[in-house]
Amino acid sequence: MRDIHKKLISMKTAEIDKFFANLIKQHGVEKVYQYLLSIKSQGEKGRYAYARVLWMFYDEARKDNILQELFQLAKDSSWQVREAVTFSLYKIFKKDYERVYNIFKEKIKSGDIYEKRAIAIAIMRYAQHRKNIDQLLSLLKPLMYEESIIIRKILGPFVIGDGFIRYSPEKTFNWLYDLLNEDNVWVRWNIAMVFTTKESRKYKEFGKKILDILKKDNRKEVQKAVAKALKNLQ
């Protein structure tokens, strides 16, 4: 498997996935895994490929180490590597739902902010299968209270506003409506920001109903989010 790294440099994402799947067929999991460990120190592209395909090696013997590696890479300086982490976390979540659900739950409670970000996006990716939506929303709920812009930037306006309302609008809107009972400023900011997305324009009537309630919240953070959402729904 010499000179493979040179090939990786020019590969697109889909090609990397297919390439490693074929390598595993040809050489076996263990040999390819050892090679994979060797490329993570070879620059951003090496770390990207490592993070992107690490899920392929998730098994009983390696599962703890692999999750630990991915959570570490969730803090990488490269946004591309961080996004690759969300893909591997999603694939592992799909493969080992119950165990990983509990790990995500603990990380959301006490993990690093970048770990939480990666988990939120992995959860959104899983939601495309339109299964366990209530459980997934329950898992996300604590993140609605996060003040950090790192979380807020991707939660209401992306994970929920572009993902969950696409995959399960009715359940997501019921969940949002229940959350209106919360007085936390960032919960309410996130709810309003759900309706700043292109996807949310399909649900103008419901969006305006929620925003009419949020209009009464005088906090400037909520008011700015409401104004942005109303402009989007015009």
Side-chain angles (χ1 to χ4, degrees):
M1 291 192 285
R2 293 178 181 178
D3 300 323
I4 288 177
H5 184 64
K6 292 179 182 178
K7 295 179 182 179
L8 282 175
I9 298 298
S10 60
M11 282 186 191
K12 295 178 181 177
T13 297
E15 292 173 327
I16 290 173
D17 295 346
K18 187 175 180 181
F19 181 72
F20 272 91
N22 287 334
L23 274 184
I24 290 169
K25 285 180 183 177
Q26 293 169 23
H27 301 284
V29 169
E30 192 56 43
K31 189 172 182 180
V32 179
Y33 181 65
Q34 292 307 315
Y35 164 70
L36 188 66
L37 291 174
S38 75
I39 69 168
K40 70 175 180 177
S41 61
Q42 297 183 36
E44 182 180 339
K45 191 71 176 187
R47 297 197 311 280
Y48 174 81
Y50 179 74
R52 174 78 190 184
V53 303
L54 201 51
W55 68 271
M56 295 181 181
F57 304 89
Y58 181 88
D59 58 20
E60 193 61 33
R62 280 183 279 258
K63 60 186 182 183
D64 291 332
N65 286 340
I66 283 177
L67 283 171
Q68 188 177 353
E69 282 284 291
L70 287 170
F71 286 131
Q72 187 60 40
L73 285 165
K75 309 163 199 174
D76 196 271
S77 59
S78 164
W79 71 267
Q80 291 178 308
V81 174
R82 295 196 300 270
E83 294 313 303
V85 166
T86 71
F87 180 76
S88 265
L89 285 176
Y90 145 64
K91 295 292 275 187
I92 291 170
F93 192 27
K94 185 181 174 187
K95 185 186 288 192
D96 194 5
Y97 179 82
E98 289 186 15
R99 176 176 183 270
V100 176
Y101 184 96
N102 289 323
I103 291 170
F104 282 0
K105 188 175 182 179
E106 286 305 309
K107 284 286 185 182
I108 286 171
K109 193 182 297 182
S110 58
D112 173 89
I113 205 72
Y114 284 100
E115 293 173 343
K116 294 177 183 181
R117 178 191 180 278
I119 288 168
I121 297 174
I123 291 170
M124 181 193 73
R125 288 179 181 274
Y126 183 93
Q128 69 185 290
H129 301 293
R130 295 171 170 81
K131 297 191 302 183
N132 306 313
I133 295 296
D134 291 332
Q135 287 186 337
L136 299 178
L137 289 169
S138 177
L139 195 54
L140 285 174
K141 185 178 177 180
L143 295 177
M144 296 287 280
Y145 297 82
E146 288 279 356
E147 183 177 356
S148 171
I149 190 62
I150 291 166
I151 297 297
R152 288 192 287 119
K153 210 158 99 174
I154 58 95
L155 192 56
F158 178 54
V159 169
I160 301 167
D162 190 51
F164 273 82
I165 66 169
R166 183 191 307 270
Y167 306 133
S168 186
E170 185 175 347
K171 286 188 175 184
T172 304
F173 290 143
N174 288 339
W175 181 73
L176 290 172
Y177 200 79
D178 286 343
L179 278 174
L180 285 173
N181 293 318
E182 301 290 332
D183 190 48
N184 181 276
V185 64
W186 300 121
V187 171
R188 294 181 143 229
W189 181 91
N190 270 302
I191 294 171
M193 290 298 288
V194 167
F195 299 98
T196 62
T197 67
K198 183 178 178 181
E199 187 67 21
S200 69
R201 293 176 198 158
K202 298 176 183 177
Y203 308 100
K204 289 183 180 182
E205 185 178 342
F206 184 83
K208 288 178 179 178
K209 181 180 176 183
I210 286 223
L211 294 170
D212 280 344
I213 295 170
L214 291 174
K215 273 184 194 176
K216 298 170 187 175
D217 191 319
N218 293 323
R219 288 170 288 193
K220 64 180 181 180
E221 297 89 350
V222 179
Q223 285 299 306
K224 285 181 180 179
V226 168
K228 187 172 183 180
L230 285 171
K231 186 176 180 180
N232 177 61
L233 297 183
Q234 283 178 355

